[in-house]
Structure formats: structure tokens, C-alpha cells
């Protein structure tokens, strides 16, 4: 789905985005990815000496050798220096390593990070296009079963069109290699908030009251300020409410993101909309459908593959180990399949179960629709709290609000599907008498968590 935003919007436009189907994109199966084996020449030399009782000597070159090996050249497979390399084919560019017997030249397979092969015919894919964020590979084998099957499915009219304009038809296997500067499962540096909550002009109880009204009850910042004045006699402005929320979100976010959750393995994801600077943005949620725990909450101006990759990566970081049967239940948006391909390039495998449409037209949708409905129900819960805000003036404000909502949902909000328990039970919070005290304790625990990480 996409969003159409005009120059002038009425109140209805502000409440709900205009939706249209997302761009259809046929994603083929994952390719066969051959990661070239890398060796250490020092270990190979030690093994040779242990086996033969003598070291493997460097190459004794003739003083007037016609074809010299450049001193800077090393074996791309085992990193052996040039003293162990032969000029193997009379100076025509091929070399051979004496240590690992690898033959190579400037186009050798061991100089590549991976070799992609067609899953249907096992032939090596050929790069045909280079884009800013990805390269496109194609199987050009005319005997490929995938290619032949697509030709046989054509009608007579389509065959005639194919002869005149073959580019109008997708009949060959294609694969996209993404070039994002993003490393899966890479550790992130701790966030160090600049705001010192100990210097706030209000008591911890007042801060807990503000968060209870603003986050738990989904009241706008102006109504929260009015409630504090009319009910509790505390005079604060609506901007002060927003300042408190932004400050607390900075402290709580590392605690929410790196808490050692106990997860079920049933994960689902979806996107919803929030308004930032007058434009609709996308909010990517990843959710444990059994434990009712929010695992990812990325705000992005684009509904693109990188956002899907980052959302899935948030879940993978929280797993103690990657299970063999890992899968994600999502909608029919092709960005999740492209994200699956990206992780496969880094040796991380999982399945993507796509629930398409509103009716069960295929076995996958029929089996996994209950999980998709769970995340849709969660989206409605979030929208109930978000709607009174009428959007945000800056991206930082949207992230702060979503962070506080996720902290409330995971640690403070009782859930009917869990028999009235919160998704993540923390005894120090459960024993407190009311919600403002729980917010205060949660903030203190987040501060202690940051201090422990910094130590």
C-alpha cells in the first residue's frame, strides 16, 4: 500500500491516509549461494610441517625469470605471500598457490564474497544491472527449467508479443543482491541520553502521573496538562509534557531494546501509519504473537526493503540463538521477501509466510491468518493511543511516543489474552500500588541498566 498526500487536506485526510496497492514485484526463490572457502596459509604451513617433518619451502625462482609474480600479490584463498605463488600459464595472468593449490586470476571466484547460482538449473547467475542500492543477476541458461516452464505457459498471443518485445515479459530467473551499508546482528553502541531526569523541577510522582495520562490513557499533551491542573493542581504547559516524554523515552529505549525477553518463536509483522511533519510515515512493528511482546518499532518515511531488514534484525538480536524453523508472518508486501534474500547473503536463514488479502485464497494464508490478525489487532490498540496526538512536528517526537507506548505495552499494560498479566512480568513493578509508581520504578531500572552497561 502507498500514501497520497495533497497540498490541502481536510480533517478526514488527517485521520486516515489514502491507501493504494503497493507496487507488484515478483520475487523468485532464493538462489544457491556458494560462499568461497577461505583458508589461513600459516595454519596450512604448520600442518604440512607436522605431516612431512619439514617445512614447505618458498618457490626458488630463476634469476632471469621471464614472468615475475608481483611482490604485492597474495593468494585470495589463503592469503599466502607472493613467495609461494607461481606464474602458472606463461604470463597470461593465471597464478597458482603452492600452499593451497588455488589457481586464480583477477576474475577468480575466490576474490568474490559469494557466487550466486540459479536454484533451478544450478548455473552461475550473470550480473546484468547495477543500481544504487542493489545489483540484479539473471540466469541466462536457455535450458533452465524455470525459463522453459514460463515459455510453455504463454498463450499464442503472448508468444507473438514476446517475439516482438521480450523485455515486456519476465521469463528468466532474477535475483537482487543488496548493497546496504548494514551488517545484520552487529552490536550497537549504547545510547547515552543528554537529559538528566534528576534535575527535573517536578517530583517523580508527578512525572509518573504525566506519563500515565499521556501514554496509558492516550490523552493529548494539552489534555494531559489540563488534567494535571484540574485534578492535581499542578500547573504545567503542554510543551512541558512533550519535553518530559522525550526525556523519559531517551532513558527507557535502551532498556526496552536490550531487555532479555523470553520469546515463543511465533513472530508476525506489519506496518501502520503515523503523521510526521505533515506527511504520513510508516511504523514497522514486529510482534511475538504468543507472549504479546513488541520486538521492533521502526519509524521510517519510506516503506522500503531497508526498513523491513532493520525491523527483522531487531527481532534476531533478541534471540539467544537462531532456530532452524524460524519464520515471520507478514502481509503480501514483497519487501519482506527481499529482506529474506538480504539475510541469506549473510548466512542467516528463515522463512517468510505471507498472508495475502482478506480471504484465504491459498494454504499459507489459511494457516497463518490468525497470527496476522493478532498484529492487526495490536495496530488498532496503538492507533487508539496515537490518534489524539494528531501527528508530530519532528521525527524525534514520533520515536519518543512510540518508544513510551512499547514500554507501556510490554511492561505495564495487563493483557486479557494473558489472564490479566502484563507481557513481561517484573516483580519490582508488579508489587507497586499504582501506575505512576510503576512508571517511576521503570525509569529507575532503565537508568540502572544504562549505568551497568557503561561500567
Amino acid at each position: 500500500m502507498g500514501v497520497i498526500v495533497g497540498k490541502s487536506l481536510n480533517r478526514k485526510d488527517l485521520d486516515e491516509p489514502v491507501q493504494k496497492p503497493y507496487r507488484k514485484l515478483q520475487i523468485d526463490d532464493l538462489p544457491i549461494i556458494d560462499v568461497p572457502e577461505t583458508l589461513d596459509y600459516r595454519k596450512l604451513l604448520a600442518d604440512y610441517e607436522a605431516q612431512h617433518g619439514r617445512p614447505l619451502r618458498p618457490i626458488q625462482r630463476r634469476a632471469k625469470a621471464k614472468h615475475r609474480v608481483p611482490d604485492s600479490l597474495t593468494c585470495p584463498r589463503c592469503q599466502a605471500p607472493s613467495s609461494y605463488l607461481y606464474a602458472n600459464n606463461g604470463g597470461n595472468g593465471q597464478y597458482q598457490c603452492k600452499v593451497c593449490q588455488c589457481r586464480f586470476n583477477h576474475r577468480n571466484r575466490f576474490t568474490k564474497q559469494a557466487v550466486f547460482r540459479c536454484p533451478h538449473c544450478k548455473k552461475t547467475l550473470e550480473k546484468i544491472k547495477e543500481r544504487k542500492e542493489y545489483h540484479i543477476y539473471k540466469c541466462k541458461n536457455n535450458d533452465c527449467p524455470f525459463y522453459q516452464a514460463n515459455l510453455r505457459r504463454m498463450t499464442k498471443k503472448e508468444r507473438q508479443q514476446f517475439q516482438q518485445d521480450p523485455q515486456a515479459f519476465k521469463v528468466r530467473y532474477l535475483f537482487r543482491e543488496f548493497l546496504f551499508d548494514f551488517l545484520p546482528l552487529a552490536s550497537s553502541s549504547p545510547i547515552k541520553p543528554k537529559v538528566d531526569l534528576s534535575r527535573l523541577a517536578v517530583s517523580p510522582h508527578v512525572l509518573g502521573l504525566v506519563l500515565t495520562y499521556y501514554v496509558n490513557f492516550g490523552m493529548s499533551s494539552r489534555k494531559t496538562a489540563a488534567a494535571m491542573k484540574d485534578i492535581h493542581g499542578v500547573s504545567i504547559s503542554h510543551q512541558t509534557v512533550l519535553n518530559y516524554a522525550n526525556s523519559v523515552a531517551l532513558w527507557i529505549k535502551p532498556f526496552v531494546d536490550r531487555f532479555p525477553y523470553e520469546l515463543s518463536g511465533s513472530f508476525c509483522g506489519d506496518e501502520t501509519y503515523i503523521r510526521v511533519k505533515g506527511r504520513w510515515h510508516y511504523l514497522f512493528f514486529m510482534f511475538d504473537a504468543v507472549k504479546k511482546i513488541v520486538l521492533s518499532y521502526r519509524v521510517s518515511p519510506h516503506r522500503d526493503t531497508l526498513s523491513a531488514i532493520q525491523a527483522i534484525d531487531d527481532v534476531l538480536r533478541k534471540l539467544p540463538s537462531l532456530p532452524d524453523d524460524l519464520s515471520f508472518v507478514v502481509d503480501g508486501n514483497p519487501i519482506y521477501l527481499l529482506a529474506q534474500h538480504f539475510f541469506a547473503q549473510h548466512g542467516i536463514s528463515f522463512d517468510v509466510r505471507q498472508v495475502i488479502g482478506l480471504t484465504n485464497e491459498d494454504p499459507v494464508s489459511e494457516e497463518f491468518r490468525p497470527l496476522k490478525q493478532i498484529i492487526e489487532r495490536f495496530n488498532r490498540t496503538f492507533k487508539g493511543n496515537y490518534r489524539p496526538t494528531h501527528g508530530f512536528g519532528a521525527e524525534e517526537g514520533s520515536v519518543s511516543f512510540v518508544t513510551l507506548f512499547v514500554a507501556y505495552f510490554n511492561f505495564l499494560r495487563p493483557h486479557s489474552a494473558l489472564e490479566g498479566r502484563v507481557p513481561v512480568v517484573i516483580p519490582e513493578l508488579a508489587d507497586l500500588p499504582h501506575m505512576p509508581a510503576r512508571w517511576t520504578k521503570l525509569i529507575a531500572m532503565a537508568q540502572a541498566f544504562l549505568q551497568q552497561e557503561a561500567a
Side-chain angles (χ1 to χ4, degrees), residues 39-56 99:
L39 304 172
D40 187 344
Y41 79 96
R42 291 165 293 191
K43 184 178 183 304
L44 295 177
L45 291 176
D47 292 344
Y48 181 92
E49 185 173 1
Q51 182 179 356
H52 297 86
R54 56 183 176 82
L56 180 66
V99 181

Side-chain angles (χ1 to χ4, degrees), residues 62 69 98 102 162 169 184 220 274 328 364 396 415 432:
R62 298 176 184 175
V69 177
K98 186 177 181 180
C102 171
F162 179 71
F169 295 82
S220 68
I274 60 174
F328 293 88
V364 174
E396 292 78 7
H415 203 291
L432 295 174

Side-chain angles (χ1 to χ4, degrees), residues 191-195 197 244-255 400 403-404 446 450:
I191 299 174
K192 297 180 179 179
K194 299 179 181 179
V195 180
L197 291 178
Y244 288 169
N246 292 337
S247 301
V248 173
L250 281 173
W251 283 102
I252 285 184
K253 184 173 176 58
F255 183 82
S400 296
T403 299
L404 292 175
L450 271 179

Side-chain angles (χ1 to χ4, degrees), residues 275-383:
R275 199 169 184 81
V276 181
K277 294 182 179 180
R279 295 183 178 274
W280 290 109
H281 280 49
Y282 299 95
L283 176 54
F284 286 75
F285 279 124
M286 286 288 168
F287 194 69
D288 187 316
V290 176
K291 297 296 186 70
K292 312 302 180 186
I293 300 173
V294 184
L295 302 175
S296 181
Y297 48 99
R298 295 265 179 175
V299 177
S300 172
H302 307 292
R303 195 181 197 179
D304 56 9
T305 302
L306 181 58
S307 299
I309 290 171
Q310 293 172 332
I312 293 174
D313 188 66
D314 288 340
V315 180
L316 300 182
R317 288 170 185 264
K318 296 175 175 61
L319 297 174
S321 61
L322 299 181
D324 295 334
D325 58 348
L326 178 62
S327 65
F328 293 88
V329 177
V330 294
D331 58 19
N333 196 325
I335 59 176
Y336 294 104
L337 292 177
L338 294 173
Q340 180 192 29
H341 289 192
F342 173 83
F343 282 101
Q345 295 173 36
H346 292 82
I348 301 172
S349 300
F350 54 81
D351 291 328
V352 173
R353 315 290 188 182
Q354 291 192 303
V355 179
I356 300 173
L358 301 177
T359 58
N360 298 327
E361 302 294 339
D362 58 89
V364 174
S365 297
E366 182 176 3
E367 180 179 357
F368 294 100
R369 186 168 297 279
L371 272 74
K372 186 65 168 61
Q373 290 173 334
I374 289 173
I375 188 67
E376 293 283 2
R377 179 66 185 87
F378 168 76
N379 280 344
R380 291 196 295 272
T381 300
F382 169 77
K383 288 179 180 179

Side-chain angles (χ1 to χ4, degrees), residues 200-212:
L200 292 180
V202 297
S203 67
H205 180 69
V206 170
L207 179 60
L209 284 171
V210 169
L211 294 174
T212 300

Side-chain angles (χ1 to χ4, degrees), residues 156-169:
K156 184 176 180 180
K157 182 178 180 179
E158 289 174 337
R159 287 179 180 274
Q160 294 175 350
Q161 294 176 348
F162 179 71
Q163 295 294 330
Q164 297 175 357
D165 185 15
Q167 301 298 325
F169 295 82

Side-chain angles (χ1 to χ4, degrees), residues 208-222 224 238 241-242 244-246 385 389 391-392 397 400-401 404:
L209 284 171
V210 169
L211 294 174
T212 300
Y213 287 127
Y214 183 63
V215 182
N216 298 35
F217 298 153
M219 296 172 62
S220 68
S221 59
R222 295 183 184 276
T224 299
H238 77 95
V241 172
L242 296 177
Y244 288 169
N246 292 337
N385 282 52
T389 67
F392 304 93
S400 296
F401 180 85
L404 292 175

